[in-house]
Amino acid sequence: MELKPPVGSAVHRAPSSWRPDSWRGHRAEQQPDWPDLQALERVENTIALQPPLVLPDEILGLRRSLADVAAGEGFLLQAGDCAERFSSCTEDGVRSKLRVILQVAILLTYGSGMPVVKVGRISGQFAKPRSRPTEVVDAVELPAYRGDIVNSPEFTAEARRADPERLLRAYQHSSASLNVLRALSRGGFADLDQAHAWNQEFVRRSDAGRQYEKAADDITWALRFMSACGVDTGSQSALHQIELFTSHEALLPHYEQALTRYDEKRDAWFDTSAHMVWIGDRTRQLDGAHVELLSGITNPIGIKVGPSTTPAQLRALCERLDPERAPGRLVMISRLGAGKAAELLPPLLRAVKSTGHHVVWACDPMHGNTFVSESGYKTRRLSDITAEVAEFFAVHKEEGVHPGGIHLELTGDDVTECLGGGMDEILDTHLGTRYETACDPRLNAGQSIELAFRVAELLREHHSAR
Ligand code: PEP
Ligand code: CO
């Protein structure tokens, strides 16, 4: 059993020099070239008058759950789209994403016997950092697509122009998506009784889908067993609804500032655009605008930890973003790539441990494993993804640190974006069939389920060895 960290104050005290706009004195990487700054300011002012998307009480609830995870008593599942589209903020779009998140979550819970904290990359994951600011096609150079919150993916000058009105549309689509999400989480759809119904027809036919059906049968039996023993399962709300928190990369400080609100009761600031926000691997500069903005808010903060991260940088980020050493305030999301964790991860784990920060360590096995296939598609191999997760668990065992979570890009749709997967293996020649992502390749429902079984097994092994 790992030692429980001291219970810290979940409310975060902003540094005295911090203001919601103090980030403006720092360099912000990965920003669009806004053509009309006055229009941008008008939109910011409009958003600042809108109601919050999430409330401080909910954010503090997530902080408490993550504190448990940091103490080794839970597991974080953070999953969803790489880049949400405005057009997929529909009832069907949200339902299909929630369905696969529920399937993965139930397999992790059932397989590991641990509470799973569920956080979607959903209801606001619209902004994308890019490796190049422009894209060249047939000798024509245009600004890169930076997500629906900035511009549109079609390759025309008009579509690629950064349009500040899109910030407001992002707020509206987040709000509509969240509304459906909240309704589905509370109502019958998320009821454990429905575990079979979450398995869509096209998944059911696959190997992973059939395995899932067996697990769902077991869960149904376990529920019947509890009722037969006299447990009133009908009155247990935890069996009939779920809590799904929202998250996105806090890439556009103008948008995040407009939704950052002061809570008088707690004398603290909250970014009400999502429950959790994260800093990308390209924007984690200690003296940069993103770190400055997030250093003042109470929300849990994710930090993407890529292969270039040094132990000294990580220590400095911990000090800056979590000076009170509050358990679960930070989620370190390692995305190193298969074959690299054994060498790169131990010094990073030790650096954080030695400073007394009780962070959650989560594994993003997606972003270090992207490559362009022979057929020209940006893709990832399920085998690399699984390998990185296994390495992550092995290193954590070696270092005596709780492997606290997993961060995935997935979709409930029947897409062909990542290679591999059981008997229904996706090959390079299949990628073009349904390659629908607006940015990075996502696991389809069958691949997500296959991975979930593997992660549940790793979690179970890890805990039975304790
Ligand atoms: C992402 O999560 O979609 C992303 C761009 O990640 P990273 O910052 O780790 O590259
Ligand atoms: Co991505």
Side-chain angles (χ1 to χ4, degrees):
M1 204 52 199
E2 280 154 43
L3 280 184
K4 265 204 145 188
V7 180
S9 148
V11 170
H12 177 77
R13 301 275 157 242
S16 56
S17 60
W18 185 90
R19 300 292 307 153
D21 65 354
S22 54
W23 63 269
R24 292 177 196 257
H26 298 253
R27 184 175 163 74
E29 296 293 338
Q30 291 284 337
Q31 296 307 294
D33 212 351
W34 297 110
D36 181 347
L37 293 177
Q38 275 174 352
L40 176 62
E41 199 180 324
R42 274 198 304 276
V43 171
E44 288 176 78
N45 292 337
T46 306
I47 299 173
L49 296 173
Q50 306 305 308
L53 290 168
V54 303
L55 296 178
D57 278 326
E58 298 174 311
I59 293 171
L60 290 172
L62 176 58
R63 283 281 305 259
R64 278 191 292 277
S65 298
L66 291 175
D68 289 343
V69 175
E73 286 165 12
F75 193 71
L76 166 68
L77 167 64
Q78 190 174 14
D81 249 314
C82 177
E84 285 183 280
R85 302 297 315 272
F86 289 166
S87 58
S88 60
C89 289
T90 57
E91 184 191 338
D92 272 356
V94 174
R95 195 185 280 275
S96 134
K97 233 168 279 167
L98 180 59
R99 195 181 266 134
V100 68
I101 292 174
L102 287 168
Q103 285 186 286
V104 172
I106 194 69
L107 291 175
L108 293 178
T109 314
Y110 184 65
S112 73
M114 287 199 126
V116 172
V117 181
K118 295 164 276 290
V119 179
R121 290 176 60 118
I122 201 166
S123 306
Q125 173 47 28
F126 294 121
K128 297 313 300 171
R130 303 313 307 248
S131 36
R132 277 179 287 279
T134 60
E135 188 182 346
V136 180
V137 175
D138 297 335
V140 179
E141 185 172 15
L142 290 176
Y145 170 59
R146 289 182 180 275
D148 276 11
I149 192 169
V150 173
N151 55 8
S152 191
E154 299 77 35
F155 197 73
T156 66
E158 175 53 22
R160 292 295 174 90
R161 194 177 51 88
D163 176 4
E165 283 296 323
R166 284 180 167 268
L167 296 177
L168 184 57
R169 289 176 63 199
Y171 169 82
Q172 290 158 345
H173 281 99
S174 298
S175 163
S177 155
L178 196 51
N179 191 40
V180 175
L181 200 61
R182 288 187 191 280
L184 291 174
S185 312
R186 300 279 170 271
F189 182 74
D191 196 306
L192 256 189
D193 282 353
Q194 298 298 306
H196 279 290
W198 301 333
N199 210 14
Q200 297 181 83
E201 192 47 44
F202 71 85
V203 187
R204 204 168 293 165
R205 288 193 305 268
S206 74
D207 235 14
R210 277 193 294 272
Q211 222 187 329
Y212 174 84
E213 287 291 309
K214 282 201 203 103
D217 280 343
D218 288 353
I219 291 163
T220 309
W221 270 108
L223 290 174
R224 275 197 216 162
F225 171 71
M226 284 199 301
S227 304
C229 291
V231 178
D232 179 8
T233 52
S235 67
Q236 303 289 324
S237 63
L239 300 175
H240 306 291
Q241 24 183 279
I242 62 141
E243 194 158 32
L244 178 68
F245 296 100
T246 60
S247 72
H248 60 253
E249 177 171 349
L251 186 67
L252 298 183
H254 297 94
Y255 179 78
E256 303 302 331
Q257 182 196 329
L259 285 161
T260 293
R261 309 287 164 84
Y262 178 66
D263 181 61
E264 248 173 67
K265 191 166 98 190
R266 300 183 175 89
D267 184 25
W269 292 87
F270 292 82
D271 181 347
T272 65
S273 71
H275 299 106
M276 172 177 170
V277 285
W278 76 84
I279 305 183
D281 195 43
R282 298 169 180 84
T283 48
R284 57 177 163 71
Q285 302 76 20
L286 193 60
D287 55 354
H290 297 85
V291 170
E292 172 63 20
L293 177 59
L294 270 47
S295 73
I297 60 168
T298 291
N299 309 52
I301 293 170
I303 301 174
K304 290 293 199 95
V305 178
S308 65
T309 320
T310 65
Q313 282 172 356
L314 216 50
R315 266 196 300 270
L317 280 170
C318 283
E319 190 53 49
R320 182 80 191 285
L321 294 168
D322 178 31
E324 290 149 1
R325 289 165 171 66
R329 152 79 168 164
L330 296 179
V331 179
M332 297 297 174
I333 308 167
S334 89
R335 31 88 83 223
L336 300 169
K340 300 207 180 120
E343 186 197 335
L344 298 179
L345 197 49
L348 299 171
L349 291 178
R350 286 178 208 153
V352 173
K353 210 175 177 183
S354 68
T355 52
H357 293 271
H358 299 283
V359 308
V360 172
W361 277 99
C363 175
D364 165 359
M366 315 297 297
H367 289 89
N369 293 311
T370 319
F371 66 98
V372 177
S373 76
E374 266 174 41
S375 65
Y377 284 96
K378 189 156 106 168
T379 189
R380 293 159 173 158
R381 283 189 202 92
L382 182 57
S383 54
D384 290 338
I385 292 169
T386 314
E388 182 165 352
V389 179
E391 286 164 28
F392 176 86
F393 271 81
V395 170
H396 278 70
K397 183 175 271 180
E398 190 75 16
E399 297 294 319
V401 177
H402 174 56
I406 184 149
H407 183 115
L408 303 176
E409 285 184 346
L410 50 67
T411 164
D413 302 335
D414 191 12
V415 300
T416 54
E417 297 170 6
C418 289
L419 298 168
M423 272 182 3
D424 320 282
E425 190 175 2
I426 293 177
L427 303 172
D428 194 6
T429 47
H430 303 145
L431 289 179
T433 324
R434 283 178 305 279
Y435 192 94
E436 294 168 8
T437 184
C439 192
D440 289 339
R442 304 157 298 173
L443 297 171
N444 64 27
Q447 292 168 327
S448 305
I449 292 170
E450 192 174 327
L451 179 63
F453 274 111
R454 181 70 189 119
V455 178
E457 200 176 287
L458 287 164
L459 257 174
R460 193 195 283 238
E461 278 167 22
H462 186 90
H463 288 281
S464 57
R466 284 205 304 185

